[in-house]
């Protein structure tokens, strides 16, 4: 019987037997939206997500299977600040833990984003369900990041308030003379607990928003998942999503067109295509800002090194489709 099937069909059946992801035509991509896709206020976010929705709709029209993750930097800080102030004004209430603030940011960013995408698709005559999954991401309690927190968050505090935070076991940093802010860890993602739900929705033809803000960092304690006082870089969670979903492409959409080093100097270089090994050399030479570009570059290297047949792309939000086609942005391969 098997001799009656062509090679493509045999490969398809072999993949099904092995339990691998099957996609006969569509390419699967994980799209990571940066801060420029949102904003620091509710009105700004509602305006900016329309730009992101257009980029996503272009990819839907091009027949890509899409999972979206996104930044939540300003939003989670705003929520944490608001909840802290609320607890300060009314002693009956406690400060919200970071895990809860992360969950809130996932919910309201996902709400705005999925509605904007739905509207854009319907305006183009396309009906697809867009779903947001509140996503928990496993981290290692012994991750070195917990001993060396680097992510500044929340409102400015007085010296007395900062000392009170330290007495609770939290870390603070002095940013300006007499002004302090809390600083938390940014551990690496190990696993994504809702990944099977993401796969199921994706294979049902839906667009999925997951791992927003890097996901909610949790520690596994028996059958319980305990929220960690941390945040996860969304770029690393995007790479983890792409790995677990066996994506063809990891696409970072940013405010700039291409990876550039030495900008504005005689040594300026702009990259159209580059390999992971070449990028590592530039990292070793101290290129790429730690807060903005480095996580995207490092996550791209990790992904394409694990899946040599895949690629990572860093491109402008408004040129997403061209980035995937290699007409814009920077393409990173193994």
């Amino acid at each position: 019987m098997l001799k009656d099937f062509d090679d493509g069909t045999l490969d398809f059946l072999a993949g099904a037997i092995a339990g691998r992801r099957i996609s006969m035509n569509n390419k699967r991509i994980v799209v990571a939206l940066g801060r420029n896709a949102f904003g620091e206020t509710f009105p700004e976010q509602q305006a900016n997500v329309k730009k992101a929705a257009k980029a996503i709709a272009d990819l839907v029209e091009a027949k890509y299977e899409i999972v979206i993750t996104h930044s939540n930097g300003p939003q989670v800080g705003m929520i944490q600040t608001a909840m802290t102030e609320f607890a300060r004004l009314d002693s009956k209430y406690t400060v919200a833990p970071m895990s809860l603030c992360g969950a809130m940011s996932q919910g309201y960013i996902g709400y705005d984003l999925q509605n904007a995408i739905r509207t854009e698709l319907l305006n183009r005559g396309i009906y697809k369900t867009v779903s947001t999954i509140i996503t928990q991401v496993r981290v290692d309690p012994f991750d070195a990041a917990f001993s060396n927190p680097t992510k500044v968050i929340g409102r400015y505090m007085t010296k007395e308030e900062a000392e009170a935070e330290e007495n609770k076991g939290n870390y603070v940093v002095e940013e300006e003379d007499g002004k302090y802010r809390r600083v938390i860890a940014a551990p690496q993602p190990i696993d994504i607990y809702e990944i099977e739900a993401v796969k199921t929705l994706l294979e049902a033809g839906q667009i999925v928003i997951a791992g927003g803000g890097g996901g909610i960092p949790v520690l596994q304690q028996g059958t319980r998942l305990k929220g960690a006082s941390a945040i996860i870089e969304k770029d690393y969670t995007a790479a983890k999503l792409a790995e677990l979903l066996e994506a063809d492409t990891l696409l970072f959409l940013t405010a700039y067109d291409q990876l550039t080093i030495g900008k504005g100097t005689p040594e300026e270089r702009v990259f159209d295509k580059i390999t992971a090994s070449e990028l590592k050399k530039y990292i070793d030479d101290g290129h790429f800002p730690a807060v903005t570009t480095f996580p995207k570059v490092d996550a791209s290297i990790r992904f394409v090194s694990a899946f040599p047949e895949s690629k990572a792309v860093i491109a402008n939000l408004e040129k997403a489709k061209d980035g995937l086609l290699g007409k814009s942005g920077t393409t990173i391969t193994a």
Side-chain angles (χ1 to χ4, degrees):
M1 286 292 292
L2 288 177
K3 67 181 180 181
D4 296 328
F5 295 105
D6 59 29
D7 291 341
T9 303
L10 288 174
D11 288 343
F12 179 85
L13 291 172
I17 293 169
R20 294 198 303 270
R21 191 258 299 183
I22 304 300
S23 181
M24 290 294 284
N25 298 306
N26 296 353
K27 295 281 188 178
R28 180 171 292 182
I29 61 174
V30 171
V31 181
L33 298 173
R35 292 189 180 197
N36 63 316
F38 305 102
E40 296 192 9
T41 67
F42 295 130
E44 281 181 10
Q45 179 164 303
Q46 289 181 338
N48 287 349
V49 293
K50 293 178 182 178
K51 299 175 186 177
K54 289 180 180 179
I56 298 301
D58 287 344
L59 303 182
V60 172
E61 287 186 326
K63 305 299 182 184
Y64 288 99
E65 297 178 356
I66 301 165
V67 175
I68 304 162
T69 189
H70 57 77
S71 169
N72 74 339
Q75 293 85 355
V76 74
M78 177 182 66
I79 292 169
Q80 195 267 346
T81 298
M83 298 299 286
T84 300
E85 283 297 294
F86 182 49
R88 187 178 66 83
L89 293 171
D90 192 331
S91 60
K92 290 187 299 183
Y93 299 95
T94 59
V95 174
M98 281 305 303
S99 55
L100 183 59
C101 295
M104 289 181 179
S105 71
Q106 280 193 27
Y108 99 78
I109 294 173
Y111 165 69
D112 278 348
L113 187 56
Q114 71 183 38
N115 279 341
I117 294 171
R118 178 181 183 275
T119 297
E120 182 66 27
L121 290 175
L122 288 175
N123 287 343
R124 300 187 189 197
I126 301 169
Y127 179 78
K128 264 185 177 290
T129 301
V130 188
S131 301
T132 298
I133 294 180
I134 303 300
T135 313
Q136 301 175 97
V137 178
R138 183 181 177 186
V139 297
D140 183 351
F142 300 105
D143 192 304
F146 285 109
S147 300
N148 183 33
T150 57
K151 292 297 178 182
V152 179
I153 192 167
R155 66 181 180 90
Y156 284 107
M157 297 179 286
T158 65
K159 185 176 181 179
E160 291 74 21
E161 290 172 324
E163 289 174 348
E165 284 296 318
E166 288 181 323
N167 290 335
K168 296 176 187 176
N170 296 324
Y171 291 84
V172 298
V173 62
E174 186 174 4
E175 282 202 328
E176 298 178 19
D177 186 28
K179 290 185 178 181
Y180 300 80
R181 293 179 75 189
R182 188 176 169 192
V183 59
I184 60 176
Q188 288 290 321
I190 297 174
D191 197 8
I192 297 172
Y193 285 98
E194 290 75 22
I195 194 65
E196 292 304 322
V198 174
K199 289 178 181 178
T200 299
L201 293 173
L202 194 60
E203 289 165 1
Q206 297 193 23
I207 298 166
V208 187
I209 302 167
I216 304 163
V218 293
L219 306 171
Q220 186 166 324
Q221 299 180 342
T223 57
R224 182 184 175 218
L225 299 179
K226 182 182 185 331
S229 182
I231 59 172
I232 304 173
E233 288 279 5
K234 72 101 176 38
D235 297 330
Y236 290 120
T237 297
K240 179 58 69 174
L241 271 169
E243 172 195 331
L244 295 175
L245 294 170
E246 299 180 32
D248 300 284
T249 304
L250 172 58
L251 175 62
F252 293 104
L253 296 180
T254 70
Y256 51 88
D257 287 347
Q258 293 169 302
L259 276 181
T260 304
I261 62 171
K263 190 173 181 64
T265 71
E267 290 76 35
E268 178 175 319
R269 286 199 61 183
V270 179
F271 300 106
D272 297 318
K273 296 181 180 179
I274 190 168
T275 66
S277 59
E278 289 171 327
L279 268 181
K280 287 178 183 177
K281 295 176 183 177
Y282 289 110
I283 290 174
D284 292 340
D285 290 338
H287 295 288
F288 309 120
V291 175
T292 54
T293 310
F294 173 76
K296 295 178 182 59
V297 172
D298 190 34
S300 297
I301 290 172
R302 294 180 187 216
F303 174 62
V304 300
S305 297
F307 293 90
E309 295 183 1
S310 299
K311 66 182 179 181
V313 177
I314 300 175
N316 189 292
L317 173 65
E318 298 181 14
K319 301 176 183 178
K321 187 177 177 181
D322 284 345
L324 285 177
L325 297 175
K327 297 178 180 179
S328 183
T330 300
T331 299
I332 300 162
T333 55

